[in-house]
C-alpha cells in the first residue's frame, strides 16, 4: 500500500516534526498515542529502529500514567517489532506481560486476549517452544470460534 517512500515521508515527517519539537518533559496521552502510531507505521515500512524508538517512548509515557490497557497495547506493538527483528525473547517477554495484564482486565474469552495468545504462540513457535505455542494457539482458536463463529473468515 505505502510503497512510495516520498509519499510515506510526506505524512510521517510533519508528525515527527511536531512530536520532536515538544520539550522532553511533556508527557501526555496525545504524545503517547502519536508515538505509538508512528512506531506501528515505521514497523509496517520495516524501519524497525525508528519503530522501536517511538514505541519505547510511548511505553515509557504510558507506564508513568499507569494505564494498564494502553501499556499492554504498546507492549504488544513493540513485541511485534521485536518479532520482525527476530528478537524473539524480547518479543515473548513483552507479550507475556501484555497477556497477563489483559487476563486481569478481560475475560479469557475476550478477543483481545485471543489476539495476544495468538501473537505469543507465534513467537513461541519461532523459539521452538512448540508445546507452549500449541496450547496458546488452541486457546486463541477457541476464543475466536466462540466470539466470531466457526464460519467467520478469520
Amino acid at each position: 500500500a505505502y510503497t512510495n517512500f516520498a509519499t510515506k515521508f510526506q505524512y510521517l515527517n510533519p508528525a515527527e516534526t511536531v512530536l520532536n519539537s515538544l520539550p522532553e518533559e511533556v508527557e501526555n496521552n496525545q504524545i503517547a498515542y502519536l508515538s505509538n502510531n508512528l512506531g506501528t507505521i515505521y514497523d509496517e515500512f520495516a524501519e524497525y529502529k525508528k519503530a522501536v524508538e517511538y514505541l519505547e517512548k510511548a511505553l515509557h509515557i504510558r507506564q508513568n500514567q499507569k494505564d494498564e490497557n494502553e501499556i499492554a497495547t504498546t507492549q504488544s506493538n513493540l513485541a511485534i517489532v521485536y518479532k520482525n527483528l527476530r528478537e524473539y525473547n524480547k518479543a515473548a517477554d513483552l507479550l507475556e506481560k501484555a497477556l497477563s495484564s489483559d487476563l486481569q482486565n478481560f475475560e479469557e474469552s475476550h478477543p483481545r486476549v485471543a489476539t495476544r495468545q495468538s501473537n505469543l504462540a507465534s513467537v513461541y513457535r519461532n523459539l521452538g517452544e512448540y508445546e507452549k505455542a500449541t496450547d496458546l494457539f488452541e486457546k486463541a482458536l477457541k476464543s475466536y470460534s466462540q466470539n466470531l463463529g466457526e464460519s467467520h473468515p478469520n
Side-chain angles (χ1 to χ4, degrees):
Y2 290 108
T3 55
N4 183 327
F5 285 101
T7 302
K8 172 179 83 170
F9 288 108
Q10 174 185 352
Y11 295 106
L12 292 178
N13 282 341
E16 278 189 296
T17 300
V18 169
L19 186 63
N20 293 329
S21 69
L22 298 170
E24 279 190 37
E25 64 272 4
V26 174
E27 293 185 356
N28 61 42
N29 285 334
Q30 289 78 20
I31 293 171
Y33 179 78
L34 180 57
S35 296
N36 185 74
N37 287 345
L38 281 170
T40 58
I41 291 168
Y42 275 118
D43 177 53
E44 289 180 28
F45 293 131
E47 293 196 26
Y48 302 124
K49 184 177 178 182
K50 282 205 169 231
V52 167
E53 174 187 334
Y54 283 108
L55 288 165
E56 284 182 347
K57 180 176 185 162
L59 182 59
H60 173 77
I61 292 169
R62 289 178 168 164
Q63 286 171 331
N64 286 342
Q65 294 174 338
K66 300 180 185 348
D67 183 338
E68 293 302 317
N69 288 331
E70 293 301 324
I71 290 169
T73 296
T74 304
Q75 287 171 325
S76 184
N77 291 340
L78 185 55
I80 298 304
V81 177
Y82 281 127
K83 180 182 179 225
N84 291 335
L85 286 167
R86 293 186 160 91
E87 294 186 35
Y88 301 122
N89 288 317
K90 286 182 180 179
D93 181 56
L94 287 163
L95 284 168
E96 287 165 356
K97 289 175 184 174
L99 177 58
S100 176
S101 175
D102 285 345
L103 287 169
Q104 291 175 17
N105 294 299
F106 301 98
E107 292 183 23
E108 190 166 355
S109 62
H110 193 280
R112 180 173 165 146
V113 172
T115 298
R116 300 279 191 260
Q117 290 169 327
S118 179
N119 288 341
L120 182 55
S122 178
V123 170
Y124 283 154
R125 183 185 60 213
N126 291 122
L127 287 168
E129 296 182 30
Y130 300 114
E131 279 187 50
K132 285 182 177 181
T134 300
D135 182 54
L136 285 174
F137 276 134
E138 287 174 354
K139 288 179 180 179
L141 179 60
K142 181 179 176 185
S143 293
Y144 287 138
S145 295
Q146 287 174 348
N147 289 297
L148 302 174
E150 296 279 336
S151 62
H152 193 277
N154 287 336

